[in-house]
Amino acid sequence: MGINHYLVAASENSNPVVKDIFSSPKFSNLNTASKEFYLSENEKYVVALVNLVRCDPKAFINEVILKSGIDSNKMEISHLIRELKIRKNIFPLLPAFSLYKSAMVHAKDMGQSGLFGHTGSDGQLFKDRIQQYFPTNTELAENFYIGSGDPVDVVMSFLLEKGEKGRQYKINILSENIHFIGISIQPHRLKCTNAVLDFAKKPSIPEAAIQLKKKSDMEVYWKDCPSGPKVAPRKKSSGFSLGSLWGGKRK
């Protein structure tokens, strides 16, 4: 379950002060999903918050926990603050379109079926699902959230070890063995909102090269969404074109 009862309000615009920090030059590089057209603003914001707690845990305390209306006097909040104060800074996560697709499929499935957790309504396990979109032999992980859908609530619920795999969710968020993230937030027919975060470790270079060669006509699945369709190579002219009938130049 979410932790929205710790927040003063839980809505897309409930924490404008917190959101503003990612427009600052100091933190703008953590908003790695800001240009991903397929993500909602809330989904982009979750990625930025995850990166903030990974890259600067002390700033997360000051800029998020203390400024978002969360009651820092609660025992579990004060314990989290103490834990974050001694954590070292690590690298941010990069968005991966393929992980987004896997997360979106599952979030919609759970929302429509009214189920919870990591196993699909067809019985498919989460690693099998992710590998349909991110087909490489690397470390994979998944977080599942039920609650208000507020980005701060989503991230805080994982840091507070809420949900089906509580402790593992925090480990996934803060892991040095994770490099890529995909997220989807969808309505849930029984519990307001559910969110799925899929994670993957960067494939080894030899394997990545092999997979890229096999999928030369597809997206580079461990990187970002492709920027546009590939341009087909220009064919040699046969010496005649309809354009030449109208005075056009032959190509």
Side-chain angles (χ1 to χ4, degrees):
M1 298 297 290
I3 51 89
N4 53 298
H5 55 289
Y6 291 129
L7 304 180
V8 172
S11 68
E12 185 164 345
N13 299 312
S14 63
N15 298 299
V17 175
V18 177
K19 286 186 177 182
D20 286 345
I21 70 172
F22 296 110
S23 61
S24 165
K26 182 179 179 181
F27 300 112
S28 59
N29 64 315
L30 303 182
N31 198 5
T32 56
S34 62
K35 296 182 180 180
E36 305 304 297
F37 67 89
Y38 52 88
L39 295 179
S40 70
E41 290 305 308
N42 272 355
E43 290 165 346
K44 295 176 184 178
Y45 186 26
V46 169
V47 175
L49 289 171
V50 167
N51 285 338
L52 180 61
V53 75
R54 288 171 61 88
C55 299
D56 197 336
K58 292 180 181 178
F60 185 88
I61 295 170
N62 296 326
E63 303 294 338
V64 179
I65 296 179
L66 300 181
K67 289 185 179 180
S68 63
I70 296 173
D71 185 355
S72 59
N73 292 319
K74 292 281 187 178
M75 184 178 295
E76 57 185 337
I77 301 296
S78 60
H79 177 76
L80 174 63
I81 290 174
R82 289 195 299 271
E83 182 180 351
L84 292 179
K85 281 183 177 179
I86 61 175
R87 284 198 63 86
K88 67 177 182 178
N89 299 357
I90 59 175
F91 53 87
L93 300 179
L94 297 177
F97 183 62
S98 295
L99 292 178
Y100 154 75
K101 289 190 291 186
S102 173
M104 182 265 294
V105 165
H106 190 56
K108 285 190 173 182
D109 179 29
M110 294 293 96
Q112 293 169 3
S113 65
L115 297 176
F116 310 92
H118 302 277
T119 303
S121 61
D122 60 355
Q124 187 178 46
L125 302 179
F126 85 90
K127 288 188 176 181
D128 294 331
R129 168 175 36 82
I130 294 175
Q131 287 183 332
Q132 289 180 329
Y133 303 93
F134 197 92
T136 184
N137 184 24
T138 190
E139 292 184 35
L140 303 171
E142 183 172 84
N143 285 15
F144 182 78
Y145 161 92
I146 286 287
S148 69
D150 178 86
V152 173
D153 187 55
V154 173
V155 177
M156 286 296 296
S157 71
F158 296 143
L159 294 176
L160 292 172
E161 305 180 15
K162 305 294 182 179
E164 180 181 344
K165 297 182 179 179
R167 178 64 179 172
Q168 186 61 48
Y169 290 159
K170 180 193 285 185
I171 291 173
N172 294 342
I173 292 290
L174 300 173
S175 174
E176 294 186 64
N177 291 323
I178 293 297
H179 299 89
F180 300 103
I181 184 173
I183 176 174
S184 182
I185 301 174
Q186 299 292 336
H188 193 281
R189 66 188 304 169
L190 299 180
K191 293 292 184 178
C192 187
T193 303
N194 76 145
V196 177
L197 279 68
D198 284 343
F199 305 94
K201 182 179 180 179
K202 185 177 180 179
S204 63
I205 293 176
E207 181 179 356
I210 293 171
Q211 292 288 355
L212 178 59
K213 183 177 180 181
K214 288 181 179 179
K215 297 179 176 293
S216 58
D217 295 328
M218 299 176 63
E219 63 174 298
V220 183
Y221 52 81
W222 56 87
K223 292 187 179 179
D224 196 7
C225 177
S227 58
K230 291 187 176 181
V231 178
R234 180 176 292 177
K235 295 181 180 180
K236 293 183 179 180
S237 172
S238 61
F240 173 81
S241 69
L242 289 175
S244 64
L245 296 175
W246 305 99
K249 293 182 179 181
R250 193 170 66 194
K251 296 181 179 181

